[in-house]
Amino acid sequence: MKQRIKQLAIALLTLCLTLSAHAQDTQERVFLQIYNSAQKVANDPQESMQARKVATFKVDAIDYMKRKTLNILTDTTQNLTNDEIAAINNRLDSMAYFMYDYVNLFTKEYSRARGKRQKQRVLNAFREASINNPLFNDADRQLVLAYYNREDYLTQFSLDTDWVKALADVKEKLKKI
């Protein structure tokens, strides 16, 4: 048990040093910029409740991706190279960016839709694209679907989403709506 804790502590220290060095090279990470921006909106009482809920989804989606990324990076059964660690961290930035783009496209298309039926088609297209393109294949369905089954949130998307694939998928679906 003590050996496992020691290995985890070393892995976390290595991760922190790697992220710190990389962050200094690239200024601020993309995921962190999106996270901070969304957090600001989510906590701003001057924003509409809908905008705050959308921002809360973005914050939670990034938190989920960060947690899953950390799990991969701290897995002591893998001997990751520096290039692999950089690629995993870059994937976090990419996923955050594409999630941001996905959610913004959704809000744009949803607000453009006329009538309840058209709005439901847009919502369904985005919901399906998110659930049909998992990134981690997470078995914790309650967590993954925390927003998916919430009618009080407009962003009814799976947290376990490959946002790059989902965005491409939904763009194809939007051509048919």
Side-chain angles (χ1 to χ4, degrees), residues 35-50:
Y35 181 88
N36 289 337
S37 175
Q39 187 75 39
K40 185 177 178 182
V41 172
N43 292 328
D44 186 350
Q46 300 300 316
E47 293 285 347
S48 71
M49 184 55 71
Q50 193 69 306

Side-chain angles (χ1 to χ4, degrees), residues 150-166:
R150 297 272 313 258
E151 290 187 21
D152 58 328
Y153 275 79
L154 193 56
T155 49
Q156 298 173 18
F157 312 133
S158 169
L159 292 175
D160 182 10
T161 298
D162 182 326
W163 297 104
V164 175
K165 290 179 181 177

Side-chain angles (χ1 to χ4, degrees), residues 20-39:
S20 176
H22 188 70
Q24 289 173 358
D25 290 341
T26 61
Q27 306 254 327
E28 190 176 14
R29 304 285 311 214
V30 172
F31 84 87
L32 201 50
Q33 291 175 358
I34 294 169
Y35 181 88
N36 289 337
S37 175
Q39 187 75 39

Side-chain angles (χ1 to χ4, degrees), residues 89-113:
N89 284 320
N90 288 337
R91 180 179 73 174
L92 175 58
D93 281 333
S94 292
M95 287 299 144
Y97 175 80
F98 280 93
M99 178 275 302
Y100 175 84
D101 203 25
Y102 187 90
V103 172
N104 289 345
L105 178 62
F106 167 72
T107 56
K108 178 180 149 189
E109 292 295 326
Y110 190 83
S111 66
R112 259 200 243 169

Side-chain angles (χ1 to χ4, degrees), residues 4 7-12 14-15 67-81 84-85 88:
R4 178 82 174 143
Q7 289 174 331
L8 184 58
I10 291 169
L12 285 172
T14 303
L15 172 65
R67 210 171 315 117
K68 297 304 273 187
T69 299
L70 184 60
N71 289 345
I72 293 167
L73 293 173
T74 58
D75 182 355
T76 57
T77 63
Q78 297 184 37
N79 290 323
L80 299 172
T81 66
E84 290 170 326
I85 291 170
I88 292 166

Side-chain angles (χ1 to χ4, degrees), residues 73 104 115 117 141 144-145 156 167 175:
L73 293 173
N104 289 345
R117 189 173 176 185
R141 302 311 286 167
V144 167
L145 301 177
Q156 298 173 18
L167 185 59
K175 292 177 185 176

